[in-house]
Amino acid sequence: MHSAATPGLTFRDATDADVDALVVLIESAYRGDASRAGWTTEADILEGQRTDPEGVLAVIKSADSRLLTVERDGLVVACCQLEHRGDHAYFGMFAVSPTLQGEGLGKIVIAEAERQARAAWGISEMHMTVISVREDLIAWYERRGYRRTGQMSPFPYGDDRFGIPQRADLQFELLVKKLG
């Protein structure tokens, strides 16, 4: 799907064939030295993987979930998970190529994700969880209309599928946005 507001971008649901490219994108946005080219890096608080092919494929295959994939000139440059959870949608696995961060692509992707979630499921609220020490990222979401709830959930310490924590105070905070 092309949009007049987003020239050169194509939004589509991921397929099995996208798994490897999506894992590379997600890892590059959050972990390791490559992630330092952007501002969303978690490299200082988590080592190891952010996701794996099995995790990405599970999102693609889930009946209640979509992995919105964004291409520019045939290359995958961003993605996000949208999951239908009754009266709201969950937004996760959001990644923008580190070399494109800071150019407004993230704003376009999250707005399109919200639009598609409303259109597909008729929901009026989007939820997400963010590592609570990620103040810069939370502030970015607040500028997009998300609000902090103060509702925390534990980080999965000891489960290397989510990374190897470099500090002992990690937890997730629920952020919520009412969709107009």
Side-chain angles (χ1 to χ4, degrees):
M1 175 203 113
H2 285 281
S3 167
T6 56
L9 295 179
T10 302
F11 293 84
R12 63 176 176 78
D13 287 341
T15 67
D16 296 13
D18 296 313
V19 169
D20 291 340
L22 289 166
V23 169
V24 168
L25 170 69
I26 294 163
E27 291 296 312
S28 74
Y30 289 96
R31 303 290 161 78
D33 287 337
S35 69
R36 295 181 194 283
W39 67 272
T40 61
T41 184
E42 296 173 343
D44 294 329
I45 60 172
L46 291 159
E47 291 182 355
Q49 72 178 31
R50 172 69 162 75
T51 192
D52 54 31
E54 295 77 19
V56 171
L57 191 58
V59 172
I60 292 170
K61 295 292 190 188
S62 172
D64 294 325
S65 198
R66 305 170 56 193
L67 192 52
L68 186 61
T69 301
V70 185
E71 292 182 333
R72 179 185 284 160
D73 300 323
L75 297 174
V76 175
V77 295
C79 69
C80 65
Q81 172 189 9
L82 295 171
E83 184 176 328
H84 188 206
R85 295 185 178 176
D87 65 346
H88 69 275
Y90 178 80
F91 178 85
M93 211 176 275
F94 184 32
V96 173
S97 174
T99 59
L100 299 175
Q101 291 178 17
E103 296 180 9
L105 180 57
K107 294 176 196 174
I108 293 167
V109 173
I110 197 168
E112 179 63 16
E114 292 166 357
R115 188 196 69 74
Q116 288 197 24
R118 278 193 317 270
W121 300 314
I123 52 96
S124 60
E125 199 169 82
M126 187 80 84
H127 291 195
M128 70 172 72
T129 54
V130 180
I131 298 173
S132 63
V133 299
R134 299 288 320 276
E135 294 292 340
D136 55 344
L137 185 58
I138 291 171
W140 188 87
Y141 285 123
E142 287 179 314
R143 291 191 299 274
R144 312 276 93 63
Y146 288 81
R147 66 173 177 77
R148 299 181 87 153
T149 65
Q151 183 178 334
M152 302 294 178
S153 56
F155 186 87
Y157 282 91
D159 188 340
D160 291 351
R161 291 177 306 157
F162 299 97
I164 303 164
Q166 300 303 295
R167 46 193 290 179
D169 62 343
L170 301 183
Q171 57 185 345
F172 294 105
E173 182 172 359
L174 176 66
L175 276 60
V176 175
K177 179 179 181 178
K178 296 279 187 201
L179 302 179

